[in-house]
Amino acid sequence: MDSLQRMLNSIEYIESHLDNELLLDEIAAIACMSRFHFQRMFRMLTGYTVTEYIRNRRITIAAQELVYSKSKVIDVAMKYGYESPEAFTKAFRRIHGIPPSDAKKHSQSLKAYPKISFQIQLKGDVEMDYKIVEKDAFTVVGKSIRTTTICGENNQKIAAFWNESNQNGLSKELAKNCGPLGLLGICIDFDKQQENLTYLIAAEKNIDQIPVEWETRQIPAATWAIFPVHGAMPDAMPKVWDRIFSEWFPATGYEHSGGPEMEVYLSDADPYSKDYYSEIWIPIERKG
């Protein structure tokens, strides 16, 4: 549960610095994670981005301060990091539905976003199967897109990329000419500052001559945690991803090693069938 405790430590840090500048790199460091993986796990655990959580908590605390103290709106706005009373009023109205000056009227209804507390809630009727394997470096070929991870835009773009690849024949050509793992969806080249990544639809290379428009990439040797995925695409895959980060990582002695991640489509069956089988491969390492 060490990773869960580190996440709790990061929340405590946020709470104690709501009236100061909060930097994502510093918050992530307290959780002993990169900025990218901290934001990802935070979103999967809470449903909020880190920025959304901080904004909501500041507006909640600011409302309480306006109600129960004699502080001026401009002073509260400056205290919680707003550049102007107008920016504070806009944010306040968006959350509470009233301007901050009205918050001093005790009859007004206000919203409260409570401090988050994490706990592991394993679904007893749906255990998490997984296996750990070692795999040497290998070469893949295919095509890729670059996408941001902000606000889940990567999920939409990746789904559209798969639809395009299925329609234009790329998926069939990869499956026919390359193997043996089958079709792969690979997240690679994470830019943790800009919050974007490359998504590659690919397969292991097993032929010398490949189409000129395909690209070749090397996947490094790694220890992989492999999770089975049962169910129709595209819904089944995101559910397992969520459980890996919200349940499996916090409950085990492993952490993400920072390498590429893979979705492995082993079956030739209908991917929209409820019996479809696929896998998620995540590079891992033991916590130090």
Side-chain angles (χ1 to χ4, degrees):
M1 297 290 182
D2 288 347
S3 61
L4 185 62
Q5 184 57 54
R6 294 199 295 262
M7 291 294 287
L8 288 169
N9 292 343
S10 71
I11 292 294
E12 291 298 332
Y13 178 81
I14 290 172
E15 290 295 319
S16 63
H17 291 78
L18 287 173
D19 56 353
N20 291 295
E21 183 179 14
L22 282 164
L23 301 177
L24 276 172
D25 288 335
E26 293 180 0
I27 300 169
I30 291 169
C32 301
M33 298 180 192
S34 70
R35 168 177 169 159
F36 178 83
H37 287 298
F38 175 77
Q39 289 180 290
R40 190 177 185 191
M41 181 171 283
F42 191 97
R43 178 70 176 265
M44 289 185 175
L45 283 170
T46 69
Y48 294 103
T49 66
V50 182
T51 301
E52 287 171 339
Y53 176 74
I54 292 171
R55 182 174 63 244
N56 290 343
R57 286 295 295 147
R58 279 176 167 163
I59 288 294
T60 295
I61 300 302
Q64 295 174 358
E65 191 162 323
L66 287 171
V67 170
Y68 296 109
S69 76
K70 297 181 179 180
S71 300
K72 297 179 179 179
V73 171
I74 188 172
D75 294 333
V76 174
M78 296 298 108
K79 179 177 180 180
Y80 291 102
Y82 288 88
E83 296 180 355
S84 68
E86 291 76 20
F88 178 65
T89 296
K90 182 177 179 180
F92 195 95
R93 187 187 291 274
R94 184 173 61 248
I95 297 296
H96 297 291
I98 59 173
S101 57
D102 286 359
K104 290 183 174 295
K105 303 172 184 178
H106 291 268
S107 60
Q108 294 295 328
S109 176
L110 299 170
K111 292 185 182 295
Y113 288 87
K115 170 187 170 184
I116 285 174
S117 179
F118 298 124
Q119 66 181 36
I120 298 300
Q121 184 178 1
L122 293 174
K123 283 67 175 178
D125 60 333
V126 185
E127 69 276 3
M128 286 204 74
D129 295 328
Y130 71 95
K131 60 183 176 181
I132 307 295
V133 301
E134 304 281 342
K135 185 172 175 60
D136 293 334
F138 61 100
T139 302
V140 299
V141 293
K143 289 186 177 181
S144 69
I145 58 170
R146 192 73 179 166
T147 176
T148 180
T149 60
I150 297 173
C151 297
E153 184 175 326
N154 53 307
N155 294 328
Q156 299 174 3
K157 286 194 172 182
I158 289 171
F161 185 35
W162 271 107
N163 287 335
E164 178 185 348
S165 298
N166 291 336
Q167 292 172 6
N168 64 22
L170 172 64
S171 300
K172 288 184 177 179
E173 287 302 309
L174 284 169
K176 180 171 62 176
N177 294 311
C178 308
L181 261 186
L183 280 177
L184 305 173
I186 304 174
C187 296
I188 198 169
D189 297 340
F190 297 101
D191 186 326
K192 297 167 184 176
Q193 296 300 319
Q194 298 299 318
E195 299 178 46
N196 53 43
L197 56 84
T198 295
Y199 187 85
L200 185 72
I201 294 179
E204 288 185 88
K205 181 182 178 184
N206 69 350
I207 56 175
D208 293 329
Q209 297 296 323
I210 63 172
V212 66
E213 66 270 18
W214 290 6
E215 58 188 279
T216 302
R217 302 294 295 265
Q218 187 80 359
I219 305 300
T223 300
W224 300 88
I226 302 175
F227 302 86
V229 181
H230 300 277
M233 297 295 116
D235 295 335
M237 191 68 73
K239 292 178 182 177
V240 177
W241 275 112
D242 285 348
R243 292 195 67 199
I244 290 169
F245 280 87
S246 64
E247 298 178 32
W248 190 82
F249 270 122
T252 65
Y254 295 100
E255 57 189 13
H256 201 297
S257 68
E261 302 167 347
M262 298 194 300
E263 298 167 352
V264 178
Y265 300 94
L266 296 160
S267 173
D268 292 331
D270 179 9
Y272 303 108
S273 166
K274 62 181 178 63
D275 299 319
Y276 187 71
Y277 178 79
S278 54
E279 294 176 345
I280 292 174
W281 289 43
I282 297 183
I284 59 168
E285 60 188 5
R286 275 286 181 182
K287 296 171 184 174

